[in-house]
Amino acid sequence: MGAVHGVAYKYVAIAAAASYGAYLSQPHSYARLGLGLVGATNSVIVVLFVADRGTQLLGKDAVTGKAPWYRALPWAGFLLPTWLYTYVHTLVGRVDTATEVAPGWWLGGRYADRAPGRPERWAGVLDLTVELPERCLDLCDDYLLVRCWDGAPPHLHDLERAAAFCATARRRGPVLVHCAHGRGRSTTAMCAALVRAGVCRDWRSAFEKCRRARPCVRLNKRMRAALDAWAEEYPSPVS
């Protein structure tokens, strides 16, 4: 199985609500067409989400951190509600958009550029989202995109690639690791990065460091399993 079912239910609900709205709409109306497309799009996303496949289909570019409009347009029924939810959740939430969990190590969400006390520039920004355009590209020297569905950890080789990128960038300056809200995907990568950089002995101590600084962070079962597998496959230089 791919991503966490609890997160997938959000997209199931959108698909069901849109499909029901289309059913209630007047035949051959624009409302029925639009709601039907939203329902169909989110149904496809649920399948890809649970299978943990197809992140590249949304078209987010590894260089620009954005998807060209012609690649994003077919997924608008998924992307627009997701963008709106992320914005509102950030607006009404009581958590900083990014937090310095260790000196020079910043953990946050999509709106990390608004974080209080953030550095003028980050040496590196690691982006774990597939569904959101990058906002910090002009605020960093190096950028790495590791596409992950919400609630899913990076694949093993991507987790090591992300950790190595952050450890290297941190030698030049502060680093930002972010996903949508700075809770799960980004925390998984941050734990690996702190170990790879020698800041923490193991991912569990790294997670505790993150949780003390940013209490909202969470690791689900798959994220913990991924970190265990990563630690076994890529042993830390810290004994």
Side-chain angles (χ1 to χ4, degrees):
M1 278 299 174
V4 179
H5 289 295
V7 180
Y9 290 152
K10 177 170 62 178
Y11 305 115
V12 172
I14 294 174
S19 298
Y20 186 63
Y23 171 75
L24 296 178
S25 300
Q26 291 292 327
H28 311 298
S29 66
Y30 288 117
R32 170 167 283 194
L33 176 62
L35 288 169
L37 288 173
V38 171
T41 301
N42 280 276
S43 297
V44 173
I45 288 293
V46 169
V47 174
L48 296 174
F49 188 92
V50 174
D52 199 11
R53 295 290 186 273
T55 54
Q56 73 280 2
L57 296 177
L58 272 68
K60 185 167 179 177
D61 186 80
V63 176
T64 66
K66 299 177 181 179
W69 69 268
Y70 55 85
R71 296 199 64 181
L73 186 61
W75 304 101
F78 161 70
L79 294 173
L80 292 178
T82 301
W83 296 349
L84 179 61
Y85 172 81
T86 303
Y87 176 75
V88 172
H89 189 279
T90 302
L91 191 66
V92 303
R94 298 183 178 180
V95 179
D96 286 341
T97 53
T99 307
E100 192 174 21
V101 299
W105 294 91
W106 288 77
L107 176 63
R110 186 203 178 192
Y111 295 95
D113 58 314
R114 301 180 181 178
R118 69 162 176 81
E120 184 176 348
R121 290 188 68 81
W122 283 288
V125 167
L126 172 63
D127 175 8
L128 280 299
T129 68
V130 63
E131 72 279 23
L132 299 167
E134 179 57 47
R135 292 173 55 92
C136 296
L137 195 65
D138 294 334
L139 301 175
C140 70
D141 298 325
D142 286 313
Y143 170 74
L144 177 65
L145 171 64
V146 175
R147 302 180 186 89
C148 298
W149 294 115
D150 190 7
H155 295 161
L156 196 58
H157 66 283
D158 285 329
L159 187 54
E160 171 60 16
R161 185 164 63 100
F165 168 82
C166 291
T168 299
R170 180 64 189 93
R171 299 189 193 111
R172 303 191 305 271
V175 168
L176 168 67
V177 179
H178 82 85
C179 54
H181 303 289
R183 294 185 175 180
R185 291 172 283 183
S186 54
T187 303
T188 305
M190 177 64 84
C191 288
L194 289 173
V195 174
R196 180 58 61 235
V199 176
C200 296
R201 182 178 299 274
D202 54 45
W203 73 259
R204 290 177 176 81
S205 61
F207 177 64
E208 288 304 316
K209 181 180 284 293
C210 292
R211 187 162 60 176
R212 285 194 297 270
R214 189 174 176 85
C216 68
V217 301
R218 299 289 186 273
L219 292 178
N220 60 42
K221 185 177 180 180
R222 286 197 62 233
M223 291 169 179
R224 291 174 180 271
L227 284 165
D228 279 334
W230 170 81
E232 183 175 350
E233 181 71 18
Y234 302 97
S236 168
V238 180
S239 58

